[in-house]
Amino acid sequence: MPGGHDQTLRPFLWRAETLYEDTEIVSRTHEGIERYTYDEYGDRTAQLAHALTEGGIEEGDRVATFCWNHHRHFETYFAVPTIGAQLHTINPLLPDEHIRFIVQNAEDRTIFVDHSLFPKLAGAIADADDEFDQVDRVVAMGETVPEGADDLPVDIVAYEDFVEGHPTEYDWPDIDEDQSAGMCYTSGTTGMPKGVEYTHKMLWSHTMASLTPQGIPMADDDVVMPVVPMFHVNAWGMPFTATAGGSKHVYPGPSPEPEDIANLIENEGVTITAGVPTVWMGLQDYMQDNDVDLSTLDTVIVGGSAAPESMIRWFDDHDVTLLHAWGMTEMSPLGSVSHLKSDLENADYETQIDRRSKQGLTVPGVEFKVVDDSGEEVPHDGDAFGELWIRGPWVTKEYFERPEANEEDFEDGWLKTGDIVTVDTDGYLQIVDRAKDVIKSGGEWISSVELENAIMAHDDVAEATVIGVPHEKWQERPVAFVVPGENADESTLDEEVMDLLREDYPKWWLPDDIVYIEEVPKTATGKFSKKDLREEYAGQSLIEETEVPEDAAPDDD
Ligand code: ADP
């Protein structure tokens, strides 16, 4: 039965346009800083909706974007789903082969592309067999089409020409809340990326949960800047939450550098921003040599990978609250946020830091359990590890056309997250590792994530990651890869790092080697790519060169 407007995205835009017509949407684009109001945003969204329907897009069709964060991309966020089509945000940093696969798998009909990303898309199209055959049109995000557009075997039009002249009102259809609104692919550990479809109801309930004080609330006095890309799980849902709350939006545009982020915070008065830890490491570095006024900033949401404890303290020193959040593409993406429980508000600072550096408390609406290898639930004692299983209204129940992955990753209505966690007596989840990254030494588990965070707490370490390297006797042993900070003295850093680790960890946890590298390779979503390191160092026997401690497993302690 059609659900009318009860749990769809449309009412969020209606509210912003009606109550906050003068609130601004600001965007850094290839053309400079552009700004307009919700009023104009609503008009342009209606125009885009007309352009799409006149261009042949029908209910259920998929429309793709290949774009950074900016106002035109945001226009597709409401225009596409509210005409009943599905917005498929493609991660342009994926390898060409994956891009071809997902465009074909999703059967995208139209693709919106940024000028700076056009060569990447054109390259993927040029080497395609029939993967782009169903694509009718490419729309270039701007006033012109990019250089090289004539060579494209698909029609291409400039965005402003595409929308121009269309009416600024649209008779929005009644959409069933179970209709798909969005789609995003998640990188699989093996094989091609897996598609996750978001229904209106999933995005609606995700937005409502985000708006609660236990989520990531945004209101009409907030200025919200998602640095997390709009191709990465809808920029963690922030464009929807900010609209529902009537906030001002700020979009940092193509490949924002720390300087761009700093300027936007200062000039636009950003109050809430969000991104993966590497983004904030960049800002921290930048602020070593540059003064940046962070006085308007209340909250930085950090997720995607663990926020180092040192980063939480650094933001505290700048009077900004770092809120650590955990989520997944499969969960639209919000799962937990590390708010302090009220009875911890008066706890000592170190206790608070301990809780705040965990992945936090599940947001209202989702349920979890933590299951060990034998399928038993583990106690909530802060020590016992297990795999986190989760379910809730905005958690997907299946992958798009991937029965084998469904079989593996879902059971009895639960999503098996692949994250290995502990839960403490206060209910705070802590990700100890990804199931695929946890290091198995002598039959016991070592958390690569804990070691990384401990190493990164050293002032002279810029970045660090730890992987398990195969070992004859112990099965696997940890090896650390460290990017030294600018002033580091490499001749003493090894010992200093090891001393630091010795303070908190048993001997068998200590890395067998520390390898200095210039940069930790990153995935398409900006996370440390252990897969790349494993591949790069697979042939090199790091361990044989080092002396393995006799007590490399707990049994020998
Ligand atoms: P992928 O990066 O694999 O394409 P996602 O972006 O959906 O997919 O990433 C989800 C995974 O990222 C989670 O299962 C978890 O392992 C990791 N993750 C997300 N947030 C955090 C966090 N705050 N701390 C540690 N790990 C996190």
Side-chain angles (χ1 to χ4, degrees), residues 186-187 232 304-306 324-329 359 419 434 525 527:
T186 180
S187 48
H232 193 186
S305 47
H324 193 193
W326 165 83
M328 294 177 79
T329 306
Q359 279 69 17
D419 283 331
R434 287 294 286 166
T525 51
K527 302 181 193 185

Side-chain angles (χ1 to χ4, degrees), residues 38-58:
Y38 272 125
D39 191 28
E40 201 177 325
Y41 173 78
D43 290 352
R44 284 174 58 89
T45 303
Q47 288 182 303
L48 175 58
H50 281 290
L52 286 166
T53 43
E54 276 182 32
I57 295 297
E58 294 178 1

Side-chain angles (χ1 to χ4, degrees), residues 379-458:
H380 295 184
D381 59 6
D383 280 326
F385 293 8
E387 187 185 18
L388 177 63
W389 291 21
I390 204 134
R391 67 181 177 196
W394 56 89
V395 180
T396 193
K397 297 192 174 47
E398 60 181 4
Y399 292 112
F400 179 66
E401 293 181 352
R402 294 294 281 277
E404 77 309 333
N406 289 341
E407 187 92 352
E408 210 170 289
D409 292 348
F410 298 89
E411 196 168 315
D412 298 334
W414 295 91
L415 165 72
K416 297 151 109 180
T417 65
D419 283 331
I420 306 297
V421 302
T422 59
V423 187
D424 68 20
T425 49
D426 285 318
Y428 284 78
L429 292 171
Q430 180 165 30
I431 299 194
V432 182
D433 229 323
R434 287 294 286 166
K436 60 181 192 284
D437 293 332
V438 74
I439 300 161
K440 292 154 197 118
S441 176
E444 293 292 327
W445 284 0
I446 296 174
S447 159
S448 63
V449 172
E450 268 198 54
L451 289 178
E452 283 161 14
N453 287 343
I455 298 172
M456 282 192 283
H458 191 291

Side-chain angles (χ1 to χ4, degrees), residues 1-4 6-8 175-181 197-202 393:
M1 194 179 72
D6 48 5
Q7 293 192 10
T8 65
I175 297 205
D176 190 314
E177 59 195 19
D178 292 323
Q179 168 92 18
S180 288
E197 292 189 285
Y198 306 119
T199 62
H200 275 266
K201 196 172 170 179
M202 284 167 77

